Amino acid sequence: MSVERRTTRQQRAVRSAILEAGRPLSIEEIHEEARASAPTIGLRTVYRVVRRLEEDREIAPVTLPGKPNRYESADVAATHHHHFHCESCDRVFDVRGCVSRLQQLLPTGFVLAGHELTFWGACEECSTARSTDGAEPGRSRGRQVDRA
Amino acid sequence: MSVERRTTRQQRAVRSAILEAGRPLSIEEIHEEARASAPTIGLRTVYRVVRRLEEDREIAPVTLPGKPNRYESADVAATHHHHFHCESCDRVFDVRGCVSRLQQLLPTGFVLAGHELTFWGACEECSTARSTDGAEPGRSRGRQVDRA
DNA sequence: CTACGTGCAAAAAGTTTGCAATCGC
DNA sequence: GCGATTGCAAACTTTTTGCACGTAG
């Protein structure tokens, strides 16, 4: 019945990459991050582990307009929030809070099941870099950026 | 110098399909709609005409999470609004109005360039159909659904 | 007379899979 | 040792484009 589950270095690498990122990661970002602790890990494995984590409800997909899915901790996803896409470094950040009275925007008869609010622009690092000397934060390690 | 421009039946079919739909259409929807007035039109032509209309700023792309682009009249796009995706019939409708004070949701230092608010659920036709007898509005001709 | 339209094949981009070698347990 | 797991390359999907040739403004 139950499928045997083995815990491998690769699985741990993928899991912690996502859970500790503090922001939604794309498959490629997960791959890069996971290579730090499992240098030989291939895309094949990243996709499979991500899928399994998703099935196990440990992580949740984040869909953005025009972009492939990203993934974040299911715990984070459970708290209603939205996303900011930095057009400069292509990273995505969580944005706490939301707006109210959305249903009233809809035409009569429409049943609201959910919504997604996506912001875009420049993240703190990129806007700072550009206004000072034009350096590209680009590939720097993502960190949690959130304020009270 | 100037490029000769010929007006063909196919071009007119694509243009009016989009401009008169009253909601954003996918390439496939445009294709279907255009076939009504230009029965032999191929997908290749739809893509090319849509691109040209986009370059000429007659229409504007609408990007939704996880979906291919749709297109709507540039005039409509010029008025700030958002979109509702019906999960039942897969059509997208315009939603007038917006919410305020968005910048204050962002972390300090983030520069906001734009945002997109996408709703999903059941449109009027689909929610009505399901609550009465379960009929599928599905492929019915799209019409403007908007209220004051 | 050329720009335009068409069908088809195949490129991009992203994701998934076949299968032999590997390595937890 | 056994079989789940891995990793590379290749297959797949979906959307978009290049080409060669016929059509039509």
Side-chain angles (χ1 to χ4, degrees):
Chain A
M1 276 294 134
S2 64
V3 182
E4 181 188 347
R5 281 293 173 88
R6 294 178 185 177
T7 305
T8 64
R9 177 200 328 287
Q10 291 87 341
Q11 287 173 26
R12 287 189 293 272
V14 169
R15 173 186 283 108
S16 60
I18 301 172
L19 300 185
E20 292 164 20
R23 62 186 187 84
L25 299 185
S26 66
I27 293 292
E28 272 310 329
E29 287 175 318
I30 295 169
H31 191 192
E32 285 176 34
E33 188 66 31
R35 265 198 290 245
S37 40
T40 67
I41 192 172
L43 255 191
R44 169 83 163 89
T45 303
V46 175
Y47 273 109
R48 192 178 14 204
V49 175
V50 164
R51 164 179 291 238
R52 204 135 60 180
L53 290 172
E54 190 181 350
E55 289 171 350
D56 293 347
R57 300 294 152 84
E58 284 200 64
I59 65 177
V62 173
T63 59
L64 299 177
K67 301 250 142 202
N69 279 4
R70 288 162 190 256
Y71 297 86
E72 67 186 358
S73 152
D75 286 344
V76 172
T79 300
H80 188 68
H81 67 284
H82 294 298
H83 300 100
F84 182 100
H85 173 229
C86 178
E87 296 174 302
S88 173
C89 63
D90 200 39
R91 290 180 299 178
V92 173
F93 301 90
D94 288 328
V95 175
R96 292 184 191 165
C98 188
V99 287
S100 53
R101 306 173 74 52
L102 290 175
Q103 170 78 59
Q104 71 180 194
L105 291 177
L106 301 181
T108 319
F110 278 51
V111 178
L112 185 60
H115 69 277
E116 167 70 24
L117 179 54
T118 306
F119 301 94
W120 62 87
C123 70
E124 182 177 27
E125 276 180 62
C126 290
S127 61
T128 301
R130 250 186 305 194
S131 58
T132 53
D133 61 11
E136 272 292 330
R139 310 270 81 211
S140 64
R141 188 67 58 236
R143 67 185 209 290
Q144 174 72 340
V145 176
D146 221 335
R147 66 93 216 251
Chain B
M1 274 300 124
S2 66
V3 183
E4 181 188 346
R5 279 294 172 88
R6 293 177 185 176
T7 304
T8 64
R9 176 197 326 286
Q10 291 87 344
Q11 286 173 30
R12 285 189 294 272
V14 169
R15 173 186 283 107
S16 60
I18 301 171
L19 300 185
E20 293 164 18
R23 62 188 187 83
L25 299 185
S26 66
I27 292 292
E28 271 310 330
E29 287 175 319
I30 295 169
H31 191 192
E32 286 176 33
E33 188 65 31
R35 265 199 290 246
S37 40
T40 67
I41 192 171
L43 246 195
R44 187 69 183 82
T45 301
V46 174
Y47 274 108
R48 183 150 18 83
V49 175
V50 163
R51 161 178 292 235
R52 210 139 51 184
L53 290 172
E54 190 181 351
E55 288 172 350
D56 293 347
R57 301 293 153 82
E58 284 199 65
I59 65 176
V62 173
T63 59
L64 300 178
K67 300 248 144 204
N69 279 4
R70 289 165 189 254
Y71 298 86
E72 66 185 0
S73 152
D75 286 343
V76 172
T79 300
H80 187 70
H81 67 283
H82 294 298
H83 300 100
F84 182 99
H85 173 229
C86 178
E87 296 173 301
S88 172
C89 63
D90 200 40
R91 290 181 298 178
V92 174
F93 300 90
D94 289 327
V95 175
R96 293 183 190 165
C98 188
V99 287
S100 54
R101 306 176 73 53
L102 289 175
Q103 171 79 59
Q104 72 180 194
L105 291 177
L106 301 181
T108 319
F110 279 51
V111 178
L112 185 60
H115 69 277
E116 167 70 25
L117 179 55
T118 306
F119 301 94
W120 62 88
C123 70
E124 182 177 26
E125 276 180 60
C126 291
S127 61
T128 301
R130 251 185 305 193
S131 58
T132 53
D133 61 11
E136 270 293 329
R139 307 272 81 208
S140 65
R141 188 68 58 235
R143 68 185 208 290
Q144 174 71 342
V145 176
D146 220 334
R147 66 92 217 254

